[in-house]
Amino acid sequence: EDGFTLNGLPLPANNFVPVPGAPGWLAGEFEFSMSEIPVHQTSTIQNSKGTFHMSIINGGPASGAMYGNFSF
């Protein structure tokens, strides 16, 4: 959990919590502002310590939502 970065800046390790019933697995939840992930620009999330799975929910109750699930 301490190897994640967004566009080269570290993500806080204390956002990760153990996944119940899955020993050794952690889950992290983050909300990013438009200044952290600008519109129409590429952003990169990396983990210097190994592979990871990531899901994204973009949108909300009033706007609808898009969902993506990725493995790296």
Side-chain angles (χ1 to χ4, degrees):
E1 70 263 34
D2 60 347
F4 282 94
T5 59
L6 170 65
N7 297 327
L9 300 173
L11 293 176
N14 61 349
N15 279 44
F16 291 88
V17 296
V19 175
W25 283 74
L26 299 171
E29 185 175 330
F30 299 87
E31 277 192 42
F32 299 108
S33 68
M34 290 175 56
S35 64
E36 294 170 301
I37 300 182
V39 176
H40 302 298
Q41 293 185 21
T42 301
S43 290
T44 303
I45 293 179
Q46 294 178 302
N47 184 325
S48 63
K49 304 234 172 157
T51 58
F52 63 98
H53 304 282
M54 179 177 72
S55 297
I56 297 173
I57 299 174
N58 182 14
S63 63
M66 295 177 282
Y67 176 80
N69 191 34
F70 309 92
S71 294
F72 302 95

